[in-house]
Amino acid sequence: MNKPIKTQWQLLMDNRNRFFWLLQAGGWIGYALVNYIGSLMHEMRDIYTLIIILGAYAGFLITIPLRYLYRRIWELPPPLMVLIAIGVSYITAVVWAIVDNATYWEIYKFGFRPDSPFFYLKNSLAKFYIVLSWSGLYFGIKYYQMLQEEKQKALLASSMAHQAQLKMLRYQLNPHFLFNTLNAISTLILLKDNEKANLMVNKLSRFLRFSLDNEPIKKVTLEKEIDALLLYLDIEKVRFDEQLEIDIHLSDETKHALVPSLICQPLIENSIKYAISNVEGVGLIKVRSWADNGNLILEVCDNGPEIQTDPEKLFRKDGV
């Protein structure tokens, strides 16, 4: 039988519950230890250890309902919420004091009963401070969790926006490239060069499938990236016929390096559009990769018209 898959909200609530019970148990165990260490300064009978444990256990149980009450009043205006928290903390402290005193007198004092019922309220003020501190910690931790959740939501929203932008850029194919490719295919069909036209259609199909199937935020190996790049270049070589030459050299240690998919295609497209198309004669595009101190260096060069006038620079360069 398959187990139901929990949603992100359910996982968040499970984590909150575990965190609450961990703090609740740890806090009251710490309270019992502090009281036990304090009792060592006085000559108390061994049975007093049981009184300390029962007092901490009573505090553990009596503060649990406060959690569910504070959840109910969470959306109230802060001043009203503070007043309710103070009032409820005092009532809880009084109940805890009565239970604690009754336990102490029954076990440690052998069934002692005070003359006045007001003696049952002994130490209620000290317990009020403890419960009020518990309430303050609860609200403080809850506000901190809310701030962290809002920060995570903001980061998630930013990440999703970035991913959406990358996907939009991925799916927004260059219309010039697509139109030119279709025109080239049409020309080949008119010239009855059906074999080359069919080959070009297959390469275009494989390139488009690669660009749509691979998420832009995921990474592929450089070797796979170059294979996709060759599909694009094969299409362009049909357009430019013998006027385009490709020279690719990847060092062995960089072939399995991870890069964003289609990272080279805009650089190559830029070279073809602004350089190779203006070359008289054969246009040359070089792609080089090597490792430098653990970093991947990826370089794209062409022999298009040089923007600068330095005669020693034969190639324009686009690097990543």
Side-chain angles (χ1 to χ4, degrees):
M1 184 176 180
N2 295 329
K3 295 182 179 179
I5 299 175
K6 291 186 177 181
T7 63
Q8 186 175 2
W9 174 255
Q10 290 174 327
L11 291 174
L12 177 63
M13 295 306 297
D14 289 344
N15 290 334
R16 282 188 176 182
N17 283 330
R18 283 194 293 268
F19 187 59
F20 170 80
W21 292 114
L22 180 63
L23 289 180
Q24 178 77 345
W28 287 109
I29 290 174
Y31 170 82
L33 288 175
V34 169
N35 277 272
Y36 174 75
I37 293 172
S39 69
L40 296 178
M41 301 175 62
H42 307 281
E43 293 184 1
M44 309 295 291
R45 289 184 287 123
D46 293 339
I47 194 64
Y48 190 73
T49 303
L50 178 62
I51 303 299
I52 294 174
I53 294 174
L54 292 176
Y57 183 62
F60 175 88
L61 293 177
I62 210 167
T63 51
I64 291 175
L66 296 182
R67 180 195 186 197
Y68 301 98
L69 174 64
Y70 291 159
R71 283 182 178 179
R72 300 290 297 272
I73 67 172
W74 187 254
E75 301 297 331
L76 295 178
L80 181 58
M81 188 166 55
V82 170
L83 289 176
I84 293 176
I86 293 174
V88 171
S89 296
Y90 182 75
I91 294 172
T92 302
V94 169
V95 174
W96 184 21
I98 293 173
V99 173
D100 211 18
N101 288 326
T103 303
Y104 175 75
W105 291 328
E106 184 68 29
I107 298 176
Y108 197 78
K109 293 292 186 179
F110 306 105
F112 168 79
R113 293 293 182 271
D115 297 332
S116 173
F118 289 103
F119 280 95
Y120 282 95
L121 304 180
K122 182 182 178 182
N123 297 327
S124 60
L125 186 60
K127 295 186 181 300
F128 169 65
Y129 291 142
I130 295 173
V131 178
L132 194 62
S133 298
W134 186 98
S135 301
L137 284 173
Y138 178 86
F139 283 109
I141 293 172
K142 193 169 182 66
Y143 273 117
Y144 175 77
Q145 288 177 334
M146 288 182 59
L147 289 175
Q148 292 298 111
E149 288 174 14
E150 291 300 323
K151 184 182 294 185
Q152 291 179 358
K153 288 179 181 178
L155 292 174
L156 180 61
S158 177
S159 176
M160 292 178 65
H162 182 61
Q163 294 177 19
Q165 185 180 18
L166 289 176
K167 290 181 179 179
M168 181 187 67
L169 293 175
R170 168 63 55 81
Y171 300 146
Q172 186 180 356
L173 295 172
N174 190 330
H176 296 290
F177 159 70
L178 190 57
F179 293 156
N180 290 337
T181 303
L182 293 176
N183 286 333
I185 294 173
S186 177
T187 301
L188 291 172
I189 293 174
L190 291 175
L191 295 175
K192 299 186 183 301
D193 194 348
N194 296 331
E195 183 177 352
K196 188 176 289 187
N198 183 61
L199 180 63
M200 196 170 181
V201 169
N202 288 333
K203 290 183 180 296
L204 177 62
S205 175
R206 290 173 59 190
F207 177 74
L208 293 178
R209 185 179 296 111
F210 178 88
S211 64
L212 296 176
D213 288 346
N214 289 274
E215 290 288 340
I217 57 175
K218 292 184 179 179
K219 295 183 178 181
V220 298
T221 62
L222 182 60
E223 192 173 27
K224 185 177 181 181
E225 167 68 13
I226 295 301
D227 290 341
L229 181 63
L230 289 174
L231 292 175
Y232 172 79
L233 288 171
D234 286 343
I235 296 170
E236 294 291 357
K237 286 178 70 175
V238 174
R239 287 179 51 213
F240 286 91
D241 200 11
E242 301 297 330
Q243 293 183 337
L244 178 61
E245 291 186 2
I246 309 299
D247 182 12
I248 297 178
H249 177 73
L250 308 178
S251 62
D252 293 335
E253 65 268 25
T254 63
K255 289 183 179 180
H256 298 288
L258 297 179
V259 297
S261 61
L262 291 182
I263 189 175
C264 295
Q265 192 268 341
L267 300 178
I268 298 295
E269 184 179 340
N270 204 40
S271 291
I272 292 175
K273 184 176 181 180
Y274 296 105
I276 302 302
S277 59
N278 296 321
V279 170
E280 295 181 2
V282 178
L284 176 63
I285 294 179
K286 291 183 178 181
V287 179
R288 297 285 184 269
S289 74
W290 66 91
D292 183 14
N293 294 326
N295 297 319
L296 171 64
I297 307 299
L298 187 60
E299 186 179 65
V300 177
C301 310
D302 62 63
N303 64 340
E306 183 63 45
I307 297 176
Q308 300 179 6
T309 58
D310 188 350
E312 295 182 358
K313 295 183 178 180
L314 300 179
F315 291 93
R316 297 170 64 255
K317 293 185 179 182
D318 291 311
V320 177

